[in-house]
C-alpha cells in the first residue's frame, strides 16, 4: 500500500500511518509543546497557544480532538458533526455515537432483504471458506 505523507507529501510505502517518520516526530514535538504550555497555562486560549508555541491553529484543534490533551484550550469549540452539540473531544457526541452503533447493527439485517442476488453471492462466498 502506497500513500503520501499528509504533511510533506513524501511517499510512504507499507505504512499504516498518514505521516512519514519525520513528520510524526515533528508532530509529537508540537504536541508536547502544546501540552506543556497548557499545563503551565490551563486557562490559555487557542490564539495564545498558537502564538506561544508556533503550532498552527488547525493542529492544536487536531490534538484536542484526538482527546490526548488533558487540558484543552478554554475557547475550544468542537461540535458534534451530526447534531451540533458541544463536545470536548472526538468528532461526534456520546448520544450520536450510541445511535450510530445501534443503527448500523439494524441495517445489516434489513439491507440484505430484497437483494437476493447479493445474498446468494454472500452465501456462496461463505461456502468457499
Ligand atoms: Zn512527512
Ligand atoms: Zn451528536
Amino acid at each position: 500500500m502506497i500513500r503520501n505523507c499528509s504533511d510533506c507529501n513524501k511517499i510512504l510505502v507499507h505504512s499504516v500511518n498518514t505521516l512519514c517518520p519525520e513528520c510524526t516526530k515533528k508532530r509529537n514535538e508540537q504536541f508536547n509543546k502544546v501540552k506543556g504550555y497548557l499545563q503551565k497555562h490551563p486557562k490559555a486560549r487557542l490564539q495564545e497557544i498558537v502564538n506561544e508555541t508556533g503550532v498552527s491553529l488547525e493542529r492544536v484543534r487536531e490534538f484536542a480532538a484526538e482527546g490526548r490533551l488533558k487540558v484543552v484550550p478554554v475557547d475550544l469549540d468542537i461540535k458534534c458533526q451530526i447534531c451540533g452539540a458541544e463536545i470536548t473531544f472526538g468528532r461526534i457526541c456520546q448520544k450520536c455515537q450510541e445511535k450510530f452503533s445501534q443503527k448500523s447493527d439494524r441495517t445489516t439485517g434489513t439491507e440484505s432483504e430484497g437483494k437476493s442476488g447479493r445474498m446468494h453471492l454472500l452465501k456462496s462466498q461463505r461456502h468457499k471458506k
Side-chain angles (χ1 to χ4, degrees):
M1 189 155 70
I2 294 172
R3 61 167 94 190
N4 291 70
C5 169
S6 62
D7 248 32
C8 70
N9 265 334
K10 203 162 114 177
I11 292 167
L12 305 171
V13 185
H14 297 303
S15 177
V16 287
N17 300 313
T18 52
L19 292 172
C20 71
E22 280 158 55
C23 290
T24 307
K25 208 179 141 206
K26 215 160 74 186
R27 199 177 187 278
N28 282 338
E29 279 165 15
Q30 289 176 333
F31 177 80
N32 286 331
K33 264 194 207 172
V34 173
K35 195 178 126 193
Y37 188 80
L38 275 163
Q39 270 166 357
K40 275 184 228 158
H41 310 269
K43 284 185 179 151
R45 291 180 169 271
L46 273 173
Q47 198 54 52
E48 185 187 331
I49 297 158
V50 172
N51 293 342
E52 295 297 320
T53 60
V55 179
S56 73
L57 184 73
E58 225 174 59
R59 180 115 319 158
V60 178
R61 280 179 170 280
E62 230 177 86
F63 290 150
E66 282 170 7
R68 286 199 294 155
L69 287 174
K70 280 189 189 121
V71 189
V72 294
V74 281
D75 57 346
L76 181 84
D77 55 328
I78 341 176
K79 290 196 168 101
C80 169
Q81 291 191 340
I82 296 166
C83 72
E86 279 190 27
I87 47 174
T88 48
F89 68 93
R91 290 182 203 286
I92 55 174
C93 70
Q94 196 73 40
K95 275 186 198 168
C96 289
Q97 230 162 39
E98 278 165 25
K99 258 190 253 168
F100 195 71
S101 53
Q102 277 171 13
K103 219 181 185 179
S104 55
D105 278 350
R106 245 181 270 144
T107 44
T108 38
T110 47
E111 225 188 348
S112 42
E113 273 176 43
K115 287 179 188 169
S116 47
R118 225 181 96 198
M119 284 271 283
H120 281 300
L121 203 85
L122 284 171
K123 270 179 192 164
S124 56
Q125 273 175 344
R126 250 174 234 157
H127 277 301
K128 273 178 199 168
K129 274 185 186 176

